[in-house]
PDB file of all heavy atoms in Angstrom:
ATOM      1  N   GLN H   1     169.243  93.402 309.274  1.00  0.00           N
ATOM      2  CA  GLN H   1     168.857  92.347 308.339  1.00  0.00           C
ATOM      3  C   GLN H   1     169.673  92.455 307.051  1.00  0.00           C
ATOM      4  O   GLN H   1     170.270  91.480 306.599  1.00  0.00           O
ATOM      5  CB  GLN H   1     167.368  92.429 308.012  1.00  0.00           C
ATOM      6  CG  GLN H   1     166.927  91.382 307.008  1.00  0.00           C
ATOM      7  CD  GLN H   1     165.474  91.541 306.590  1.00  0.00           C
ATOM      8  OE1 GLN H   1     164.806  92.513 306.933  1.00  0.00           O
ATOM      9  NE2 GLN H   1     164.979  90.584 305.840  1.00  0.00           N
ATOM     10  N   GLN H   2     169.706  93.646 306.478  1.00  0.00           N
ATOM     11  CA  GLN H   2     170.386  93.841 305.194  1.00  0.00           C
ATOM     12  C   GLN H   2     171.904  93.693 305.317  1.00  0.00           C
ATOM     13  O   GLN H   2     172.531  93.033 304.485  1.00  0.00           O
ATOM     14  CB  GLN H   2     170.043  95.220 304.616  1.00  0.00           C
ATOM     15  CG  GLN H   2     168.582  95.405 304.298  1.00  0.00           C
ATOM     16  CD  GLN H   2     168.125  94.492 303.187  1.00  0.00           C
ATOM     17  OE1 GLN H   2     168.762  94.393 302.150  1.00  0.00           O
ATOM     18  NE2 GLN H   2     167.026  93.791 303.405  1.00  0.00           N
ATOM     19  N   THR H   3     172.510  94.308 306.328  1.00  0.00           N
ATOM     20  CA  THR H   3     173.969  94.217 306.459  1.00  0.00           C
ATOM     21  C   THR H   3     174.388  92.810 306.856  1.00  0.00           C
ATOM     22  O   THR H   3     175.414  92.314 306.383  1.00  0.00           O
ATOM     23  CB  THR H   3     174.516  95.252 307.457  1.00  0.00           C
ATOM     24  OG1 THR H   3     173.926  95.034 308.746  1.00  0.00           O
ATOM     25  CG2 THR H   3     174.262  96.673 306.986  1.00  0.00           C
ATOM     26  N   GLY H   4     173.610  92.162 307.706  1.00  0.00           N
ATOM     27  CA  GLY H   4     173.931  90.790 308.101  1.00  0.00           C
ATOM     28  C   GLY H   4     173.942  89.851 306.909  1.00  0.00           C
ATOM     29  O   GLY H   4     174.843  89.015 306.753  1.00  0.00           O
ATOM     30  N   GLU H   5     172.937  89.980 306.048  1.00  0.00           N
ATOM     31  CA  GLU H   5     172.881  89.141 304.844  1.00  0.00           C
ATOM     32  C   GLU H   5     174.058  89.439 303.915  1.00  0.00           C
ATOM     33  O   GLU H   5     174.686  88.531 303.378  1.00  0.00           O
ATOM     34  CB  GLU H   5     171.558  89.363 304.106  1.00  0.00           C
ATOM     35  CG  GLU H   5     170.361  88.773 304.825  1.00  0.00           C
ATOM     36  CD  GLU H   5     169.028  89.171 304.195  1.00  0.00           C
ATOM     37  OE1 GLU H   5     169.011  89.856 303.158  1.00  0.00           O
ATOM     38  OE2 GLU H   5     167.988  88.768 304.761  1.00  0.00           O
ATOM     39  N   ALA H   6     174.354  90.722 303.736  1.00  0.00           N
ATOM     40  CA  ALA H   6     175.434  91.115 302.823  1.00  0.00           C
ATOM     41  C   ALA H   6     176.794  90.617 303.325  1.00  0.00           C
ATOM     42  O   ALA H   6     177.582  90.061 302.547  1.00  0.00           O
ATOM     43  CB  ALA H   6     175.456  92.632 302.655  1.00  0.00           C
ATOM     44  N   ILE H   7     177.077  90.793 304.584  1.00  0.00           N
ATOM     45  CA  ILE H   7     178.371  90.379 305.124  1.00  0.00           C
ATOM     46  C   ILE H   7     178.462  88.857 305.195  1.00  0.00           C
ATOM     47  O   ILE H   7     179.514  88.274 304.892  1.00  0.00           O
ATOM     48  CB  ILE H   7     178.627  91.018 306.501  1.00  0.00           C
ATOM     49  CG1 ILE H   7     178.652  92.558 306.404  1.00  0.00           C
ATOM     50  CG2 ILE H   7     179.937  90.501 307.112  1.00  0.00           C
ATOM     51  CD1 ILE H   7     179.687  93.142 305.473  1.00  0.00           C
ATOM     52  N   SER H   8     177.389  88.192 305.562  1.00  0.00           N
ATOM     53  CA  SER H   8     177.407  86.723 305.660  1.00  0.00           C
ATOM     54  C   SER H   8     177.800  86.076 304.336  1.00  0.00           C
ATOM     55  O   SER H   8     178.487  85.047 304.317  1.00  0.00           O
ATOM     56  CB  SER H   8     176.049  86.194 306.114  1.00  0.00           C
ATOM     57  OG  SER H   8     175.819  86.554 307.458  1.00  0.00           O
ATOM     58  N   ARG H   9     177.379  86.670 303.229  1.00  0.00           N
ATOM     59  CA  ARG H   9     177.724  86.125 301.903  1.00  0.00           C
ATOM     60  C   ARG H   9     179.229  86.186 301.629  1.00  0.00           C
ATOM     61  O   ARG H   9     179.735  85.460 300.781  1.00  0.00           O
ATOM     62  CB  ARG H   9     176.969  86.872 300.807  1.00  0.00           C
ATOM     63  CG  ARG H   9     175.507  86.519 300.712  1.00  0.00           C
ATOM     64  CD  ARG H   9     174.871  87.068 299.441  1.00  0.00           C
ATOM     65  NE  ARG H   9     174.800  88.509 299.416  1.00  0.00           N
ATOM     66  CZ  ARG H   9     173.760  89.233 299.851  1.00  0.00           C
ATOM     67  NH1 ARG H   9     172.688  88.620 300.338  1.00  0.00           N
ATOM     68  NH2 ARG H   9     173.778  90.534 299.793  1.00  0.00           N
ATOM     69  N   LEU H  10     179.936  87.063 302.340  1.00  0.00           N
ATOM     70  CA  LEU H  10     181.370  87.250 302.111  1.00  0.00           C
ATOM     71  C   LEU H  10     182.245  86.414 303.041  1.00  0.00           C
ATOM     72  O   LEU H  10     183.461  86.372 302.881  1.00  0.00           O
ATOM     73  CB  LEU H  10     181.725  88.735 302.289  1.00  0.00           C
ATOM     74  CG  LEU H  10     180.980  89.719 301.399  1.00  0.00           C
ATOM     75  CD1 LEU H  10     181.323  91.151 301.772  1.00  0.00           C
ATOM     76  CD2 LEU H  10     181.274  89.444 299.930  1.00  0.00           C
ATOM     77  N   LEU H  11     181.636  85.761 304.019  1.00  0.00           N
ATOM     78  CA  LEU H  11     182.398  84.976 304.986  1.00  0.00           C
ATOM     79  C   LEU H  11     182.833  83.639 304.398  1.00  0.00           C
ATOM     80  O   LEU H  11     182.106  83.035 303.616  1.00  0.00           O
ATOM     81  CB  LEU H  11     181.560  84.726 306.241  1.00  0.00           C
ATOM     82  CG  LEU H  11     181.158  85.968 307.050  1.00  0.00           C
ATOM     83  CD1 LEU H  11     180.205  85.576 308.169  1.00  0.00           C
ATOM     84  CD2 LEU H  11     182.378  86.689 307.609  1.00  0.00           C
ATOM     85  N   THR H  12     184.004  83.199 304.786  1.00  0.00           N
ATOM     86  CA  THR H  12     184.488  81.880 304.378  1.00  0.00           C
ATOM     87  C   THR H  12     183.734  80.815 305.175  1.00  0.00           C
ATOM     88  O   THR H  12     183.133  81.127 306.216  1.00  0.00           O
ATOM     89  CB  THR H  12     185.995  81.742 304.665  1.00  0.00           C
ATOM     90  OG1 THR H  12     186.190  81.773 306.077  1.00  0.00           O
ATOM     91  CG2 THR H  12     186.807  82.839 303.979  1.00  0.00           C
ATOM     92  N   PRO H  13     183.759  79.570 304.736  1.00  0.00           N
ATOM     93  CA  PRO H  13     183.124  78.505 305.528  1.00  0.00           C
ATOM     94  C   PRO H  13     183.662  78.439 306.966  1.00  0.00           C
ATOM     95  O   PRO H  13     182.893  78.225 307.903  1.00  0.00           O
ATOM     96  CB  PRO H  13     183.449  77.233 304.741  1.00  0.00           C
ATOM     97  CG  PRO H  13     183.562  77.704 303.321  1.00  0.00           C
ATOM     98  CD  PRO H  13     184.212  79.059 303.424  1.00  0.00           C
ATOM     99  N   ALA H  14     184.949  78.639 307.143  1.00  0.00           N
ATOM    100  CA  ALA H  14     185.523  78.625 308.496  1.00  0.00           C
ATOM    101  C   ALA H  14     184.977  79.780 309.330  1.00  0.00           C
ATOM    102  O   ALA H  14     184.660  79.614 310.513  1.00  0.00           O
ATOM    103  CB  ALA H  14     187.044  78.690 308.429  1.00  0.00           C
ATOM    104  N   GLU H  15     184.860  80.961 308.718  1.00  0.00           N
ATOM    105  CA  GLU H  15     184.311  82.122 309.439  1.00  0.00           C
ATOM    106  C   GLU H  15     182.845  81.886 309.777  1.00  0.00           C
ATOM    107  O   GLU H  15     182.403  82.192 310.885  1.00  0.00           O
ATOM    108  CB  GLU H  15     184.482  83.400 308.607  1.00  0.00           C
ATOM    109  CG  GLU H  15     185.924  83.858 308.504  1.00  0.00           C
ATOM    110  CD  GLU H  15     186.154  84.914 307.438  1.00  0.00           C
ATOM    111  OE1 GLU H  15     185.386  84.981 306.456  1.00  0.00           O
ATOM    112  OE2 GLU H  15     187.120  85.669 307.588  1.00  0.00           O
ATOM    113  N   LEU H  16     182.091  81.331 308.849  1.00  0.00           N
ATOM    114  CA  LEU H  16     180.687  81.010 309.111  1.00  0.00           C
ATOM    115  C   LEU H  16     180.557  80.001 310.253  1.00  0.00           C
ATOM    116  O   LEU H  16     179.627  80.073 311.057  1.00  0.00           O
ATOM    117  CB  LEU H  16     180.005  80.460 307.858  1.00  0.00           C
ATOM    118  CG  LEU H  16     179.583  81.476 306.815  1.00  0.00           C
ATOM    119  CD1 LEU H  16     179.165  80.778 305.529  1.00  0.00           C
ATOM    120  CD2 LEU H  16     178.480  82.368 307.336  1.00  0.00           C
ATOM    121  N   GLY H  17     181.501  79.068 310.319  1.00  0.00           N
ATOM    122  CA  GLY H  17     181.476  78.064 311.367  1.00  0.00           C
ATOM    123  C   GLY H  17     181.573  78.639 312.760  1.00  0.00           C
ATOM    124  O   GLY H  17     181.101  78.032 313.728  1.00  0.00           O
ATOM    125  N   GLU H  18     182.163  79.824 312.892  1.00  0.00           N
ATOM    126  CA  GLU H  18     182.278  80.467 314.206  1.00  0.00           C
ATOM    127  C   GLU H  18     180.908  80.859 314.760  1.00  0.00           C
ATOM    128  O   GLU H  18     180.765  81.088 315.953  1.00  0.00           O
ATOM    129  CB  GLU H  18     183.188  81.691 314.119  1.00  0.00           C
ATOM    130  CG  GLU H  18     184.630  81.339 313.814  1.00  0.00           C
ATOM    131  CD  GLU H  18     185.509  82.567 313.750  1.00  0.00           C
ATOM    132  OE1 GLU H  18     185.463  83.376 314.695  1.00  0.00           O
ATOM    133  OE2 GLU H  18     186.234  82.718 312.747  1.00  0.00           O
ATOM    134  N   PHE H  19     179.925  80.935 313.896  1.00  0.00           N
ATOM    135  CA  PHE H  19     178.576  81.317 314.306  1.00  0.00           C
ATOM    136  C   PHE H  19     177.705  80.117 314.682  1.00  0.00           C
ATOM    137  O   PHE H  19     176.596  80.293 315.164  1.00  0.00           O
ATOM    138  CB  PHE H  19     177.862  82.069 313.163  1.00  0.00           C
ATOM    139  CG  PHE H  19     178.383  83.446 312.918  1.00  0.00           C
ATOM    140  CD1 PHE H  19     179.477  83.659 312.100  1.00  0.00           C
ATOM    141  CD2 PHE H  19     177.768  84.542 313.495  1.00  0.00           C
ATOM    142  CE1 PHE H  19     179.954  84.937 311.864  1.00  0.00           C
ATOM    143  CE2 PHE H  19     178.234  85.823 313.264  1.00  0.00           C
ATOM    144  CZ  PHE H  19     179.332  86.019 312.454  1.00  0.00           C
ATOM    145  N   ASP H  20     178.185  78.917 314.437  1.00  0.00           N
ATOM    146  CA  ASP H  20     177.346  77.730 314.560  1.00  0.00           C
ATOM    147  C   ASP H  20     176.642  77.574 315.899  1.00  0.00           C
ATOM    148  O   ASP H  20     175.497  77.132 315.949  1.00  0.00           O
ATOM    149  CB  ASP H  20     178.148  76.466 314.249  1.00  0.00           C
ATOM    150  CG  ASP H  20     178.410  76.307 312.759  1.00  0.00           C
ATOM    151  OD1 ASP H  20     177.749  77.029 311.973  1.00  0.00           O
ATOM    152  OD2 ASP H  20     179.266  75.488 312.393  1.00  0.00           O
ATOM    153  N   GLN H  21     177.307  77.921 316.976  1.00  0.00           N
ATOM    154  CA  GLN H  21     176.701  77.722 318.291  1.00  0.00           C
ATOM    155  C   GLN H  21     175.446  78.573 318.482  1.00  0.00           C
ATOM    156  O   GLN H  21     174.490  78.158 319.125  1.00  0.00           O
ATOM    157  CB  GLN H  21     177.709  78.022 319.392  1.00  0.00           C
ATOM    158  CG  GLN H  21     177.183  77.710 320.775  1.00  0.00           C
ATOM    159  CD  GLN H  21     178.245  77.910 321.839  1.00  0.00           C
ATOM    160  OE1 GLN H  21     179.365  78.287 321.566  1.00  0.00           O
ATOM    161  NE2 GLN H  21     177.873  77.659 323.072  1.00  0.00           N
ATOM    162  N   GLN H  22     175.430  79.768 317.923  1.00  0.00           N
ATOM    163  CA  GLN H  22     174.338  80.710 318.164  1.00  0.00           C
ATOM    164  C   GLN H  22     173.402  80.898 316.977  1.00  0.00           C
ATOM    165  O   GLN H  22     172.313  81.426 317.133  1.00  0.00           O
ATOM    166  CB  GLN H  22     174.901  82.080 318.547  1.00  0.00           C
ATOM    167  CG  GLN H  22     175.625  82.092 319.869  1.00  0.00           C
ATOM    168  CD  GLN H  22     174.673  81.900 321.014  1.00  0.00           C
ATOM    169  OE1 GLN H  22     173.606  82.490 321.051  1.00  0.00           O
ATOM    170  NE2 GLN H  22     175.031  81.053 321.951  1.00  0.00           N
ATOM    171  N   ARG H  23     173.827  80.492 315.791  1.00  0.00           N
ATOM    172  CA  ARG H  23     173.057  80.770 314.586  1.00  0.00           C
ATOM    173  C   ARG H  23     171.629  80.236 314.672  1.00  0.00           C
ATOM    174  O   ARG H  23     171.400  79.111 315.073  1.00  0.00           O
ATOM    175  CB  ARG H  23     173.729  80.173 313.366  1.00  0.00           C
ATOM    176  CG  ARG H  23     173.072  80.622 312.070  1.00  0.00           C
ATOM    177  CD  ARG H  23     173.743  80.013 310.919  1.00  0.00           C
ATOM    178  NE  ARG H  23     175.139  79.859 311.276  1.00  0.00           N
ATOM    179  CZ  ARG H  23     176.129  79.934 310.419  1.00  0.00           C
ATOM    180  NH1 ARG H  23     175.899  80.120 309.180  1.00  0.00           N
ATOM    181  NH2 ARG H  23     177.368  79.784 310.808  1.00  0.00           N
ATOM    182  N   GLY H  24     170.704  81.077 314.305  1.00  0.00           N
ATOM    183  CA  GLY H  24     169.311  80.658 314.251  1.00  0.00           C
ATOM    184  C   GLY H  24     168.535  80.868 315.533  1.00  0.00           C
ATOM    185  O   GLY H  24     167.314  80.857 315.515  1.00  0.00           O
ATOM    186  N   LEU H  25     169.200  81.073 316.659  1.00  0.00           N
ATOM    187  CA  LEU H  25     168.470  81.347 317.893  1.00  0.00           C
ATOM    188  C   LEU H  25     167.758  82.685 317.735  1.00  0.00           C
ATOM    189  O   LEU H  25     168.346  83.663 317.289  1.00  0.00           O
ATOM    190  CB  LEU H  25     169.424  81.400 319.091  1.00  0.00           C
ATOM    191  CG  LEU H  25     170.133  80.092 319.440  1.00  0.00           C
ATOM    192  CD1 LEU H  25     171.092  80.320 320.606  1.00  0.00           C
ATOM    193  CD2 LEU H  25     169.136  79.010 319.779  1.00  0.00           C
ATOM    194  N   ASN H  26     166.502  82.743 318.070  1.00  0.00           N
ATOM    195  CA  ASN H  26     165.703  83.963 317.914  1.00  0.00           C
ATOM    196  C   ASN H  26     165.676  84.446 316.462  1.00  0.00           C
ATOM    197  O   ASN H  26     165.461  85.618 316.202  1.00  0.00           O
ATOM    198  CB  ASN H  26     166.217  85.094 318.818  1.00  0.00           C
ATOM    199  CG  ASN H  26     166.136  84.721 320.265  1.00  0.00           C
ATOM    200  OD1 ASN H  26     165.177  84.090 320.699  1.00  0.00           O
ATOM    201  ND2 ASN H  26     167.151  85.073 321.026  1.00  0.00           N
ATOM    202  N   GLY H  27     165.973  83.578 315.519  1.00  0.00           N
ATOM    203  CA  GLY H  27     165.938  83.963 314.109  1.00  0.00           C
ATOM    204  C   GLY H  27     167.158  84.739 313.656  1.00  0.00           C
ATOM    205  O   GLY H  27     167.182  85.253 312.550  1.00  0.00           O
ATOM    206  N   ASN H  28     168.187  84.833 314.480  1.00  0.00           N
ATOM    207  CA  ASN H  28     169.366  85.627 314.141  1.00  0.00           C
ATOM    208  C   ASN H  28     170.441  84.756 313.503  1.00  0.00           C
ATOM    209  O   ASN H  28     170.638  83.609 313.892  1.00  0.00           O
ATOM    210  CB  ASN H  28     169.923  86.307 315.383  1.00  0.00           C
ATOM    211  CG  ASN H  28     168.922  87.266 315.978  1.00  0.00           C
ATOM    212  OD1 ASN H  28     168.283  88.006 315.251  1.00  0.00           O
ATOM    213  ND2 ASN H  28     168.759  87.231 317.277  1.00  0.00           N
ATOM    214  N   THR H  29     171.129  85.327 312.540  1.00  0.00           N
ATOM    215  CA  THR H  29     172.195  84.596 311.880  1.00  0.00           C
ATOM    216  C   THR H  29     173.517  85.350 311.875  1.00  0.00           C
ATOM    217  O   THR H  29     174.557  84.755 311.653  1.00  0.00           O
ATOM    218  CB  THR H  29     171.811  84.276 310.423  1.00  0.00           C
ATOM    219  OG1 THR H  29     171.528  85.501 309.737  1.00  0.00           O
ATOM    220  CG2 THR H  29     170.608  83.354 310.350  1.00  0.00           C
ATOM    221  N   PHE H  30     173.530  86.649 312.089  1.00  0.00           N
ATOM    222  CA  PHE H  30     174.768  87.428 312.072  1.00  0.00           C
ATOM    223  C   PHE H  30     174.874  88.372 313.278  1.00  0.00           C
ATOM    224  O   PHE H  30     175.850  88.352 313.995  1.00  0.00           O
ATOM    225  CB  PHE H  30     174.895  88.232 310.768  1.00  0.00           C
ATOM    226  CG  PHE H  30     176.223  88.926 310.649  1.00  0.00           C
ATOM    227  CD1 PHE H  30     177.328  88.224 310.196  1.00  0.00           C
ATOM    228  CD2 PHE H  30     176.369  90.252 310.992  1.00  0.00           C
ATOM    229  CE1 PHE H  30     178.571  88.848 310.105  1.00  0.00           C
ATOM    230  CE2 PHE H  30     177.595  90.889 310.900  1.00  0.00           C
ATOM    231  CZ  PHE H  30     178.706  90.183 310.457  1.00  0.00           C
TER     232      PHE H  30
END
């Protein structure tokens, strides 16, 4: 939880976009 939040804040919009297909499934974001 803590590392995922910390690293996610450092990702560029393009890098964050790579997660779009799976983000939020089962409450997971990273």
Side-chain angles (χ1 to χ4, degrees):
Q1 178 185 8
Q2 297 294 312
T3 60
E5 289 172 3
I7 299 301
S8 291
R9 285 192 293 268
L10 302 174
L11 297 174
T12 66
E15 289 167 334
L16 281 169
E18 293 181 51
F19 288 85
D20 285 346
Q21 185 175 1
Q22 294 291 316
R23 189 181 328 212
L25 295 177
N26 299 321
N28 298 317
T29 58
F30 186 82

